Amino acid sequence: MPRKEIELPYRTEYLSILDEKGNVDAELEPSLSDELLLKLHRAMLSGRRFDERMLNLQRQGRIGTFPPIKGQEASQLGAVATLEKEDWMTVAFRETLAEIWRGKPMESFILYYGGFDEGSLVQEGRNDFPISIAVGSQMLHAVGIGMAMKYRKHPQVAMTFFGDGATSEGDFHEALNFAGVFQAPVIFICQNNQWAISIPRAKQTNALTLAQKALAHGMPGIQVDGNDILAVYTAAKEAVDRARSGGGPTLIECYTYRLSLHTTADDPTKYRNEEEVKKWEAKDPISRFQVYLSNKSLLTDEGIAALEEEIATEIQTVVDLAEKQMKNPDPVEMFDHIFAEMPPSLKLQKDEVIRNLSLAKKEANNG
Amino acid sequence: MAKMTMVQALNLAMQQEMEKDDRVIIMGEDVAVDGGVFRVTDKLITQFGEERVIDTPLAESGIIGTAIGMAAYGLHPILEIQFSGFSYYIFHQLEAHASRLRHRSRGRFHVPLVVRAPYGGGVRALEHHSESREIYYAHTPGVKMVIPSGPRNARALLISAIRDPDPVVFFEPKALYRAFREEVPEEEEVMEIGVPQKVREGSDVTIISYGAMMPVTLEAVEELQESDQVDAEVFDLLTISPFDDTAIAESVQKTGRAVIVHEAPRSFGPAAEIIARLIEKSFYYLEAPIERVTGYDIVYPLFARENAYMPDVERVKQAVRKTLAV
């Protein structure tokens, strides 16, 4: 009748490969092709600039409320860069860059945050769910997708994103639990950006890490420097490979920081101090990656400047394209896509709107 | 044709659909080895294995949340929620995602799942085991809410629900699970969701009910025919939402009188919507105020008092007499 330590099958690790100054741990450094490294850099930079432009559009009143991603580019990109096109993904709402990498057109974001339902269209060939604003509810969908993949014996995996706040939701635990029980090929990516609107990470949970929550559900969990794209990529690649080969789910906590606002309706000066933000600005994921690429002779200042120009032109094209589509929405289309077949009771309501619209039009013409 | 209870008929519907279509799977608490606490999924694991009849952890939100992912991936999951009184755990996932994914993805994804749950009172059960709260689901756009009333229509409607491309909440009147047997054809039979069925032709008054209140209503109608020579027309709603009101509105235009019977609480209940539609479509034909016989706006009592809560034959007869007295 001893009293002794229980050996758990998994440990919780921490992984950092590229530090904030751009120094790399040569032993841990993943061997990525120059082409992929440059593609990742371009995507991160483009994601940052797009984010800034979206913020401007909101401040100018050209779109509505929108959640910026600034500071979290590596967390998102390092993870999705390990996926195949045929894999599936369910996201929360601060994964703009992950979605762009996976093929969602940039103009969709402008449309969506500009109040047009059309912006959440999932184009044929894309296997990603539209964003889920209800915090913590989308992880279960990835688990179900993973269970279905397993049932169909398909070689795909499902990746799901969520924030530190979501780990307090019941659905987070139900998702990890189901994934563990059914050994679903799912990769849980937690973007721990330290703040859930005004609630700091320490007030979400008394646990030392979020990654350790994997252990209670019988799966590996790892905490990585979320501003280090090499670390995120390495951890995600291991997890994806494990899931694809039947090894079940993994939880990855990307330790990062929300440099900007929760959404454009938020004022962080009310709850956090500037020093903290400055400290994290020094850990920026993009600048350290640029040092790394420069040290590898893959990138020059001139190269960055040319890229910046290219990206600015691209973003302008996207904005123009989106704003052209944002005029005169047909109200009647709000009745679309409720059911596969419109029931008679709904048809009556739609007809009522059509009648009122034509009446209003007639009155306007007579007036 | 075999005479079956509703439990057997529901089991047959699932067994036949699973045989035909490998997209159909069952998941829930105690549905596999145990065959469900009411044995509705009895022995299905023997035929289809644990890959398709899945005992899940005890987590309703987890059941529907994963089913949404499966459905979007191309499967047709049937979920069993052990009692409708515990279905509130599924509500968020149903409202925020199952009902919206078609709309949110602009038609790219849809969520063909069925939530089966026993509902209703009269079985001397524990707290949370007797409620009739179909209106929560009926009020959710993008969701169909179906309640059968007998073995034959339960089997046909469940097949339709499984094949439906949109989420269907399917409440089963547990009081009728084994209350009577009916001839259920071996060959496939489906019923259109959204269309009330006329179950009795009549001319004096239109009575609309559904689920476990159908036998009560029909018994009252027979007694009234006998004692008062009342010739009632009776509709079984079968789908709470969305339903086509054409036939019931026409019936009330013929009879000029209507009574609605349900065990759900009265205020904002199904009868309120039915009455509103009848007012819109048949107001000028009405000879008397529309009557409703319902449960009350209270916490469902424990079973020592449940007979006082549940609409019974006497209450239905009183309501019909009241409307005919005008």
Side-chain angles (χ1 to χ4, degrees), chain A residues 264-326:
Chain A
T264 46
D266 171 43
D267 172 16
T269 62
K270 187 132 191 277
Y271 53 81
R272 70 182 189 189
N273 60 50
E274 217 24 57
E275 290 84 77
E276 183 185 287
V277 181
K278 286 226 161 60
K279 195 184 89 188
W280 276 95
E281 275 170 351
K283 302 179 191 215
D284 192 282
I286 299 180
S287 50
R288 76 170 76 174
F289 194 47
Q290 289 180 332
V291 172
Y292 171 72
L293 295 178
S294 301
N295 289 345
K296 284 179 89 87
S297 306
L298 291 173
L299 203 60
T300 60
D301 288 348
E302 297 75 44
I304 294 174
L307 197 55
E308 290 275 17
E309 232 172 274
E310 220 177 278
I311 287 169
T313 312
E314 267 175 28
I315 291 174
Q316 189 53 50
T317 311
V318 165
V319 173
D320 294 341
L321 187 65
E323 290 195 322
K324 247 185 243 158
Q325 298 170 61
M326 288 165 70

Side-chain angles (χ1 to χ4, degrees), chain A residues 107 125 149 180 228 244 259:
Chain A
E107 59 268 25
M149 288 165 169
D228 168 3
R244 217 183 284 289
L259 285 173

Side-chain angles (χ1 to χ4, degrees), chain A residues 44-300:
Chain A
M44 277 170 96
L45 200 60
S46 169
R48 173 72 59 92
R49 298 295 170 248
F50 184 59
D51 202 56
E52 291 166 349
R53 187 63 195 276
M54 289 289 279
L55 193 56
N56 283 341
L57 290 175
Q58 193 279 333
R59 294 307 190 221
Q60 293 165 352
R62 290 155 74 180
I63 61 170
T65 307
F66 134 87
I69 64 159
K70 188 179 178 187
Q72 300 177 219
E73 294 86 353
S75 287
Q76 305 181 16
L77 203 54
V80 285
T82 63
L83 293 178
E84 307 284 340
K85 187 175 181 291
E86 296 74 23
D87 293 329
W88 286 55
M89 176 171 85
T90 72
V91 293
F93 51 80
R94 206 184 303 285
E95 283 84 21
T96 303
L97 182 51
E99 294 188 273
I100 292 171
W101 177 270
R102 296 272 301 158
K104 183 162 161 181
M106 284 164 112
E107 59 268 25
S108 293
F109 296 90
I110 305 174
L111 272 171
Y112 181 79
Y113 291 113
F116 283 75
D117 293 299
E118 289 84 341
S120 66
L121 165 74
V122 179
Q123 291 81 4
E124 280 304 321
R126 279 181 56 220
N127 290 336
D128 300 338
F129 271 27
I131 68 164
S132 169
I133 291 180
V135 169
S137 56
Q138 70 284 356
M139 294 94 99
L140 278 166
H141 307 158
V143 178
I145 291 165
M147 289 166 73
M149 288 165 169
K150 203 173 161 187
Y151 171 64
R152 287 298 189 201
K153 300 188 169 55
H154 291 165
Q156 275 81 49
V157 302
M159 183 176 278
T160 183
F161 282 85
F162 49 97
D164 42 305
T167 65
S168 300
E169 291 279 3
D171 274 3
F172 164 73
H173 296 279
E174 295 191 24
L176 288 181
N177 191 42
F178 272 63
V181 168
F182 296 107
Q183 286 296 287
V186 180
I187 302 92
F188 294 88
I189 306 288
C190 177
Q191 294 198 79
N192 171 10
N193 69 10
Q194 313 303 332
W195 291 93
I197 308 189
S198 68
I199 310 301
R201 154 58 188 87
K203 285 189 178 173
Q204 288 297 344
T205 171
N206 193 40
L208 187 63
T209 69
L210 301 177
Q212 75 197 58
K213 292 177 188 261
L215 272 59
H217 297 289
M219 70 177 76
I222 182 168
Q223 187 187 58
V224 303
D225 178 350
N227 288 7
D228 168 3
I229 193 163
L230 300 182
V232 178
Y233 184 93
T234 301
K237 185 78 172 67
E238 283 173 13
V240 166
D241 290 348
R242 180 164 46 238
R244 217 183 284 289
S245 60
T250 304
L251 169 62
I252 299 173
E253 174 191 357
C254 298
Y255 198 83
T256 181
Y257 193 77
R258 191 190 83 213
L259 285 173
S260 185
L261 318 157
H262 163 67
T263 68
T264 46
D266 171 43
D267 172 16
T269 62
K270 187 132 191 277
Y271 53 81
R272 70 182 189 189
N273 60 50
E274 217 24 57
E275 290 84 77
E276 183 185 287
V277 181
K278 286 226 161 60
K279 195 184 89 188
W280 276 95
E281 275 170 351
K283 302 179 191 215
D284 192 282
I286 299 180
S287 50
R288 76 170 76 174
F289 194 47
Q290 289 180 332
V291 172
Y292 171 72
L293 295 178
S294 301
N295 289 345
K296 284 179 89 87
S297 306
L298 291 173
L299 203 60
T300 60

Side-chain angles (χ1 to χ4, degrees), chain B:
Chain B
M1 282 220 262
K3 280 210 155 208
M4 285 185 194
T5 63
M6 189 185 287
V7 165
Q8 291 167 327
L10 290 165
N11 186 283
L12 177 68
M14 288 185 275
Q15 190 258 335
Q16 288 184 326
E17 279 306 282
M18 290 178 82
E19 234 168 34
K20 285 177 69 163
D21 186 349
D22 72 355
R23 294 175 302 176
V24 182
I25 60 142
I26 291 172
M27 56 196 298
E29 297 154 11
D30 309 298
V31 296
V33 178
D34 201 30
V37 293
F38 287 100
R39 303 290 179 265
V40 180
T41 55
D42 200 27
K43 297 194 176 68
L44 293 177
I45 189 172
T46 317
Q47 186 176 353
F48 300 107
E50 60 180 16
E51 277 194 323
R52 294 185 66 192
V53 185
I54 305 168
D55 270 332
T56 67
L58 207 167
E60 289 80 6
S61 187
I63 294 169
I64 186 166
T66 51
I68 289 167
M70 290 179 181
Y73 195 79
L75 304 187
H76 283 207
I78 306 168
L79 329 179
E80 179 174 298
I81 301 299
Q82 213 154 70
F83 287 90
S84 71
F86 305 122
S87 69
Y88 315 126
Y89 287 106
I90 74 162
F91 193 77
H92 178 250
Q93 284 287 344
L94 186 79
E95 199 287 333
H97 296 294
S99 73
R100 292 170 184 249
L101 198 55
R102 174 187 291 284
H103 183 262
R104 190 181 293 139
S105 67
R106 311 304 293 164
R108 170 62 201 290
F109 297 123
H110 63 285
V111 185
L113 60 78
V114 183
V115 178
R116 291 183 38 246
Y119 88 100
V123 294
R124 300 171 64 81
L126 291 167
E127 192 184 357
H128 309 295
H129 291 65
S130 301
E131 284 78 359
S132 185
R133 302 283 168 78
E134 52 275 22
I135 208 70
Y136 298 151
Y137 301 102
H139 202 69
T140 305
V143 170
K144 296 179 183 179
M145 171 75 235
V146 174
I147 301 185
S149 62
R152 188 164 179 172
N153 63 36
R155 189 280 198 108
L157 281 167
L158 184 55
I159 290 182
S160 298
I162 294 167
R163 293 179 187 174
D164 199 283
D166 289 304
V168 179
V169 177
F170 193 92
F171 272 12
E172 297 163 1
K174 67 172 98 64
L176 304 186
Y177 264 159
R178 293 183 172 82
F180 59 95
R181 287 170 187 268
E182 230 174 34
E183 298 281 355
V184 176
E186 174 64 24
E187 66 275 13
E188 178 186 302
E189 188 175 55
V190 294
M191 247 178 136
E192 196 181 345
I193 291 175
V195 186
Q197 297 293 309
K198 190 189 287 186
V199 295
R200 190 183 193 279
E201 189 86 39
S203 55
D204 296 336
V205 56
T206 303
I207 309 181
I208 303 149
S209 188
Y210 58 88
M213 287 296 106
M214 278 314 293
V216 174
T217 299
L218 289 170
E219 198 183 324
V221 164
E222 291 314 314
E223 288 187 20
L224 282 165
Q225 172 84 63
E226 192 78 9
S227 60
D228 301 26
Q229 289 76 51
V230 172
D231 184 21
E233 183 143 293
V234 181
F235 280 87
D236 187 345
L237 199 56
L238 296 168
T239 302
I240 311 306
S241 176
F243 73 92
D244 186 347
D245 50 39
T246 313
I248 59 170
E250 280 171 10
S251 171
V252 172
Q253 287 166 20
K254 178 177 76 180
T255 63
R257 290 177 165 83
V259 175
I260 299 141
V261 185
H262 63 60
E263 57 181 290
R266 181 171 304 168
S267 298
F268 307 97
E273 174 63 19
I274 296 167
I275 292 169
R277 302 241 200 132
L278 292 177
I279 296 283
E280 285 163 0
K281 291 198 165 176
S282 309
F283 180 75
Y284 295 109
Y285 300 84
L286 286 173
E287 303 285 349
I290 301 171
E291 289 294 321
R292 47 181 166 168
V293 183
T294 69
Y296 303 111
D297 300 351
I298 57 171
V299 172
Y300 192 94
L302 293 184
F303 62 82
R305 290 188 180 83
E306 75 175 328
N307 288 344
Y309 174 95
M310 292 286 278
D312 57 15
V313 171
E314 218 30 62
R315 279 173 66 193
V316 176
K317 282 162 69 176
Q318 277 171 24
V320 173
R321 283 180 180 138
K322 196 173 162 197
T323 185
L324 284 164
V326 179

Side-chain angles (χ1 to χ4, degrees), chain A residues 336-349:
Chain A
D336 294 351
H337 307 301
I338 303 298
F339 291 108
E341 239 180 276
M342 189 174 289
S345 50
L346 195 52
K347 179 81 171 43
L348 282 175
Q349 297 173 29

